[in-house]
Amino acid sequence: GIQVEQSPPDLILQEGANSTLRCNFSDSVNNLQWFHQNPWGQLINLFYIPSGTKQNGRLSATTVATERYSLLYISSSQTTDSGVYFCAVETDYGQNFVFGPGTRLSVLP
Amino acid sequence: SAVISQKPSRDICQRGTSLTIQCQVDSQVTMMFWYRQQPGQSLTLIATANQGSEATYESGFVIDKFPISRPNLTFSTLTVSNMSPEDSSIYLCSADRGNTGELFFGEGSRLTVL
């Protein structure tokens, strides 16, 4: 099945800093989503982005499907951005959403 | 967007018992999914809950251990049977929005097995 990798595995930032999280996948995908899991365990949808670029406030994401990667940009980070960021992909041969291992982000005040 | 609620939100269970988790979506959805998240790990798909037919299980998960019901287009249950401490996890219900394929999640059910 498809392999999904995320980097870096852990990231510590000072409040106000910017960061880029990466998701690589090993096969063609139909769908790709970015999620934020907050410290209470709730999964929050950030972006549904099988291709192209989207922005939502301080966050933006870019997926280059032909090169099999996606990037999540966080600007002016806040302590509430702390948690784990997951990308999940769905292949075009029908495999259900497969999650990457996640990037654990800690934003320090 | 679909709102998904799960019950219970957390529970502490004794070894050998079974627990049923309920998932309610506020609108009709075609696909519902159950995921498991073991401590410190990512999410792993357990099964796809199909309305009107048996669930489709992923490799490593079996119906006897994780029976699933899907009686209609807004509701599903997952039972964790004959629990052991290794079943201590967060169990998450999710639903596909249909045409867009975007996945939404419930709040999760955190199970601790003693």
Side-chain angles (χ1 to χ4, degrees), chain B:
Chain B
S1 61
V3 174
I4 304 173
S5 57
Q6 285 185 233
K7 292 181 190 178
S9 58
R10 59 178 62 236
D11 209 338
I12 299 173
C13 306
Q14 295 299 317
R15 180 195 299 261
T17 62
S18 299
L19 182 77
T20 296
I21 302 167
Q22 298 179 3
C23 178
Q24 179 75 51
V25 185
D26 69 342
S27 62
Q28 292 185 346
V29 292
T30 306
M31 308 290 280
M32 293 181 74
F33 307 91
W34 288 97
Y35 283 82
R36 181 177 73 180
Q37 186 178 26
Q38 295 177 300
Q41 302 297 310
S42 184
L43 281 75
T44 301
L45 181 64
I46 297 172
T48 302
N50 304 308
Q51 196 269 330
S53 64
E54 276 196 4
T56 305
Y57 289 84
E58 298 299 305
S59 175
F61 297 95
V62 295
I63 188 171
D64 289 347
K65 177 67 176 176
F66 298 102
I68 287 171
S69 78
R70 178 87 194 271
N72 56 50
L73 292 174
T74 64
F75 187 78
S76 179
T77 67
L78 169 75
T79 299
V80 186
S81 302
N82 189 24
M83 288 185 284
S84 67
E86 292 71 33
D87 295 319
S88 298
S89 296
I90 301 174
Y91 293 86
L92 298 110
C93 169
S94 65
D96 186 340
R97 288 188 74 191
N99 290 339
T100 65
E102 187 173 2
L103 209 57
F104 288 85
F105 281 84
E107 312 95 330
S109 299
R110 188 183 296 268
L111 262 55
T112 301
V113 184
L114 304 178

Side-chain angles (χ1 to χ4, degrees), chain A:
Chain A
I2 192 169
Q3 303 299 311
V4 183
E5 300 174 344
Q6 290 186 242
S7 59
D10 295 280
L11 185 59
I12 299 175
L13 298 175
Q14 209 64 42
E15 200 168 23
N18 303 327
S19 62
T20 300
L21 282 57
R22 187 176 180 103
C23 172
N24 291 335
F25 40 95
S26 62
D27 209 338
S28 302
V29 299
N30 263 348
N31 296 320
L32 186 146
Q33 286 185 240
W34 283 96
F35 296 91
H36 174 216
Q37 189 169 41
N38 64 25
W40 295 271
Q42 187 175 4
L43 271 173
I44 299 163
N45 288 39
L46 297 179
F47 292 102
Y48 173 69
I49 185 167
S51 64
T53 297
K54 291 186 178 180
Q55 180 154 10
N56 184 4
R58 297 181 296 105
L59 273 59
S60 63
T62 295
T63 296
V64 184
T66 53
E67 297 187 20
R68 299 182 183 171
Y69 72 88
S70 184
L71 302 174
L72 177 69
Y73 306 96
I74 304 174
S75 64
S76 304
S77 59
Q78 301 176 356
T79 56
T80 52
D81 294 332
S82 297
V84 183
Y85 289 80
F86 291 104
C87 74
V89 301
E90 183 184 32
T91 62
D92 58 7
Y93 49 83
Q95 188 177 2
N96 295 310
F97 272 91
V98 176
F99 277 73
T103 292
R104 182 173 298 276
L105 175 65
S106 299
V107 180
L108 306 179

